Amino acid sequence: MWFGAAAPSLAAGCQFDIQGEGVVSAVVDARTLRLEDGREVRLAGVEVVAGEPEDLKSALTALVGRHVTLRGDRDEPDRYGRQSVFLYLESSTSSVQSDLLAQGQAIASADVDDKACATELATAEAAARQARRGTWANSSVVKNAENPADILTRAGQFAVVQGKVMSVRQAGGTVYVNFGRRWTRDFAATIPKRMVPDLEAAGVTPASLKNRRVRVRGWVERRGGPRINVVRTGQIEVIGD
């Protein structure tokens, strides 16, 4: 894994404050690294799909022994004591996350609020997806919305699902973007009503999604059929008609 050379043109995106520095001593899991001083840091802005975490963990071993700068919008650890950060090597103009995405070793999680940074990560991922690099060489990474049983194999896990929207309906405080006609069995993206203004500001009007091809990413839940709850604007995107 060649860090620091995959996406130099994207370096203006994730410009967060420096939250510290350190030397990587170990890879804990596919998104967590341990530093020599005992701190554990979690890679922000990226996720892995089922079946791929060992590939990402292997890629991260290239960071062991390297000096890294930690950047982020906050420095509080999570409930497990891990600090969520963007990592930069000493000589790199792009984040480790951007490099991983550009090489197809990770998937953008769409949970970054900073627009410039979110665009950087999405652009890096798109380049890998179009070139079918790494994870994207596997056709099963993107789940077909017409196959709810296959999507349900990812229940409780992060997934990317795409297909044609059949209908958009609101019930109570939730907007249902339905990818099938059997509401209790087929895949749907659920959008809390409070999220609609944010989506519209980002150029995605839920009502206009009908008959469009749409890609949704997030954590798969079983509620009758498979569901992904959309709580960030980057989780849902129109990919064509």
Side-chain angles (χ1 to χ4, degrees):
M1 180 70 190
W2 186 10
F3 287 105
S9 62
L10 304 177
C14 298
Q15 294 297 304
F16 295 112
D17 293 336
I18 293 177
Q19 303 292 354
E21 298 180 346
V23 176
V24 177
S25 65
V27 179
V28 177
D29 60 35
R31 286 184 56 213
T32 309
L33 301 168
R34 183 177 294 115
L35 305 183
E36 286 186 346
D37 60 10
R39 285 177 295 167
E40 289 192 355
V41 295
R42 187 83 163 157
L43 296 181
V46 295
E47 277 292 349
V48 293
V49 296
E52 304 295 330
E54 288 306 314
D55 292 339
L56 179 52
K57 189 174 179 180
S58 295
L60 291 178
T61 58
L63 294 174
V64 174
R66 304 288 297 274
H67 185 278
V68 292
T69 298
L70 319 179
R71 290 182 176 270
D73 57 356
R74 62 182 65 89
D75 61 0
E76 310 89 38
D78 64 17
R79 59 178 176 172
Y80 302 106
R82 304 171 305 196
Q83 186 178 352
S84 182
V85 297
F86 285 86
L87 292 185
Y88 288 79
L89 298 179
E90 290 180 291
S91 58
S92 178
T93 56
S94 61
S95 68
V96 165
Q97 281 91 326
S98 288
D99 295 342
L100 290 168
L101 289 167
Q103 293 298 325
Q105 298 292 343
I107 290 178
S109 60
D111 61 357
V112 176
D113 291 327
D114 183 85
K115 291 183 179 180
C117 185
T119 298
E120 173 187 326
L121 301 181
T123 302
E125 183 198 273
R129 187 170 63 246
Q130 292 165 8
R132 300 186 66 82
R133 288 194 290 266
T135 293
W136 301 105
N138 185 346
S139 61
S140 67
V141 168
V142 178
K143 294 299 184 183
N144 187 338
E146 296 179 3
N147 191 342
D150 188 34
I151 300 170
L152 281 174
T153 64
R154 297 280 177 84
Q157 300 173 340
F158 193 88
V160 179
V161 181
Q162 68 183 41
K164 184 177 181 179
V165 175
M166 303 299 293
S167 66
V168 180
R169 301 177 183 274
Q170 182 176 330
T174 303
V175 176
Y176 293 85
V177 180
N178 300 300
F179 288 74
R181 302 188 186 282
R182 303 167 300 176
W183 299 346
T184 59
R185 297 174 57 188
D186 290 328
F187 173 69
T190 57
I191 305 173
K193 189 177 178 181
R194 59 178 171 77
M195 271 296 301
V196 173
D198 290 342
L199 287 170
E200 291 177 340
V204 178
T205 303
S208 71
L209 297 177
K210 183 178 179 180
N211 295 324
R212 310 287 296 278
R213 286 189 57 77
V214 170
R215 181 182 298 122
V216 185
R217 68 186 64 212
W219 296 87
V220 177
E221 304 174 22
R222 181 192 292 268
R223 284 187 276 157
R227 303 283 186 266
I228 289 179
N229 195 35
V230 176
V231 294
R232 305 274 185 170
T233 57
Q235 284 182 255
I236 188 165
E237 57 183 314
V238 177
I239 57 175
D241 298 322

